[in-house]
Amino acid sequence: MAEATPMIELSGIDVTFKEADRTVSAVKQVDLTVNKGDIYGIVGYSGAGKSTLVRVINQLQLQTNGTVTVNGQRLDQLHGKALRQARTKIGMIFQHFNLMNERTIGDNVRFPLLLGTTLSKQQQLDKVDELLALVGLSDKKNDYPAQLSGGQKQRVAIARALANDPEILISDEATSALDPKTTGSILALLKRLNETLGLTVVLITHEMQAVKAICNRVAVMQSGEIIERGDLLTIFSNPKEQLTQEFIETSTQVDSALANVVSQPRIQQLGVDERLVVLSYAGASTDDPLIAQLYEQFKVTPNILFGNVEILQKTPVGTLGLVLSGTAVDDALAYVKGQGVHVRVIDVPKYRAELANKAAKANRGEGDA
């Protein structure tokens, strides 16, 4: 396998804002490496610091401490014209499109080419045609943004971001305002651009479903810090942090399944030799008849409550919720862990209390910080 080439290297990044009566640490000592050709997802709730962090990449947000290297060049040491030139190789798309309503679609895409380009007018027009064809909007060149759907507007924004042939494309919550079907089409477009143009993509989102759809690597942010990172399969099959588990459970519907399960009287009255567990597994683990082995080797009886299997990066990844019953249930779980399966034992009273707390916050209109 060829050695990965770093495209983005952030080292020791702090971003601190001074307010009237306090200091806000938006990003805290973050190290991050994104390799050439990655689709790297950075996921976190609102206020986690992910958008601030990615704006450091192109120096739209200056860090308080740390270094920023993009494709071997220290951007944090550049100023003026040199920095503006470096930024042309980093395209950005946003949640709200930022199109100019008084200009046609073609003129919106052409706009970056009017600023310091060496292309002739005809070359610029040819470039616009090429980019609109790339995003599937050739027939919309003379329309105006008000005539387009949300998904079409985002495709225009993507075409505009590609005008200067960037090496990196940053998507900052670019699908958050779109419906699920349109979101899927935009994510598929980003994946295709990654494959056909060799673009390195950084995807900022609060939706693990988007990360699952196209990313090969993922970092989870909370309170300005990266709390967990890794390749997509490892994160999904063996999450370490509770927040990561929450994101994954939401994207795989495990959270709703568990909520239904723990509401059942039978589950609220588990015996001393019973465990409610969620097993997460990937790759070769999905081929092993583990459930049958639990009874054969440990005389532990499984009662399957819910399950899900999907394909991530051409690898089967599964989740299984079940109650295990037997005097050797803890030995059985230790065996399962030894087979490379992530085991989460659900404390039913605690889980019910967490659900009640979340529901109370929702009723009070409190979001995730």
Side-chain angles (χ1 to χ4, degrees):
M1 181 182 295
E3 185 175 347
T5 302
M7 177 60 77
I8 301 168
E9 297 172 278
L10 305 180
S11 179
I13 298 297
D14 289 320
V15 178
T16 302
F17 299 110
K18 299 287 186 179
E19 296 187 351
D21 57 349
R22 62 173 184 154
T23 298
V24 178
S25 296
V27 177
K28 308 169 189 175
Q29 280 295 297
V30 167
D31 297 324
L32 181 70
T33 298
V34 179
N35 291 323
K36 182 177 177 60
D38 275 348
I39 304 182
Y40 202 117
I42 301 178
V43 64
Y45 288 126
S46 176
K50 54 192 186 299
S51 291
T52 301
L53 178 65
V54 296
R55 282 171 169 79
V56 170
I57 295 173
N58 58 8
Q59 296 290 273
L60 291 177
Q61 171 64 56
L62 299 181
Q63 68 278 9
T64 309
N65 296 299
T67 62
V68 179
T69 305
V70 176
N71 202 14
Q73 185 178 34
R74 283 282 299 276
L75 261 61
D76 57 291
Q77 295 180 339
L78 301 181
H79 305 280
K81 183 178 179 180
L83 179 57
R84 289 194 296 273
Q85 181 62 35
R87 282 176 177 154
T88 64
K89 295 304 177 183
I90 306 172
M92 284 194 80
I93 54 174
F94 306 90
Q95 178 178 350
H96 298 297
F97 321 128
N98 297 336
L99 301 181
M100 294 173 285
N101 291 326
E102 72 282 1
R103 293 177 181 253
T104 66
I105 299 310
D107 286 342
N108 266 275
V109 175
R110 186 185 174 196
F111 186 74
L113 298 174
L114 301 176
L115 307 175
T117 183
T118 59
L119 298 180
S120 68
K121 180 180 179 180
Q122 187 57 53
Q123 287 173 323
Q124 292 174 25
L125 295 176
D126 291 343
K127 183 76 169 181
V128 169
D129 289 341
E130 174 189 332
L131 291 170
L132 288 176
L134 187 64
V135 300
L137 291 177
S138 294
D139 59 335
K140 302 296 182 181
K141 182 170 69 171
N142 297 317
D143 288 357
Y144 286 85
Q147 298 172 269
L148 271 57
S149 68
Q152 289 171 329
K153 290 177 183 178
Q154 195 58 276
R155 287 175 179 269
V156 175
I158 292 171
R160 183 183 58 189
L162 298 176
N164 285 307
D165 300 316
E167 298 166 332
I168 297 165
L169 182 61
I170 296 173
S171 169
D172 189 2
E173 298 280 10
T175 61
S176 296
L178 305 176
D179 63 79
K181 183 177 180 180
T182 305
T183 291
S185 70
I186 295 298
L187 292 174
L189 174 59
L190 293 178
K191 177 68 172 175
R192 179 162 59 85
L193 295 174
N194 165 260
E195 294 173 345
T196 59
L197 302 181
L199 272 179
T200 300
V201 179
V202 180
L203 183 74
I204 306 305
T205 183
H206 62 273
E207 300 168 334
M208 189 61 94
Q209 189 72 30
V211 171
K212 182 173 66 174
I214 64 170
C215 295
N216 65 308
R217 298 190 65 79
V218 57
V220 181
M221 286 196 72
Q222 183 178 41
S223 301
E225 300 178 290
I226 293 179
I227 61 170
E228 189 163 3
R229 73 184 85 201
D231 66 84
L232 184 70
L233 287 177
T234 299
I235 291 294
F236 264 80
S237 62
N238 193 21
K240 304 296 185 184
E241 299 294 330
Q242 181 177 349
L243 180 62
T244 310
Q245 292 179 5
E246 290 178 7
F247 274 120
I248 292 171
E249 288 174 359
T250 299
S251 72
T252 57
Q253 304 302 311
V254 170
D255 57 342
S256 57
L258 266 177
N260 288 330
V261 165
V262 299
S263 67
Q264 300 173 15
R266 165 72 179 89
I267 302 302
Q268 295 172 30
Q269 300 170 6
L270 293 178
V272 66
D273 292 330
E274 294 181 304
R275 304 286 185 274
L276 173 61
V277 300
V278 177
L279 308 182
S280 302
Y281 47 93
S285 299
T286 62
D287 299 327
D288 297 332
L290 282 177
I291 303 305
Q293 292 173 7
L294 295 183
Y295 185 78
E296 292 175 2
Q297 296 188 34
F298 302 95
K299 297 299 184 273
V300 167
T301 302
N303 178 18
I304 298 175
L305 305 175
F306 60 85
N308 178 64
V309 177
E310 55 191 326
I311 304 299
L312 299 182
Q313 297 183 336
K314 300 180 181 180
T315 301
V317 176
T319 305
L320 194 64
L322 64 166
V323 170
L324 297 178
S325 305
T327 57
V329 65
D330 291 331
D331 291 337
L333 289 175
Y335 169 77
V336 170
K337 291 179 182 179
Q339 303 306 304
V341 175
H342 180 264
V343 176
R344 181 184 175 197
V345 179
I346 307 299
D347 183 327
V348 175
K350 181 179 178 181
Y351 192 82
R352 283 172 54 81
E354 290 173 353
L355 290 176
N357 185 47
K358 288 181 181 179
K361 283 186 176 182
N363 289 334
R364 295 194 300 265
E366 298 177 12
D368 295 294

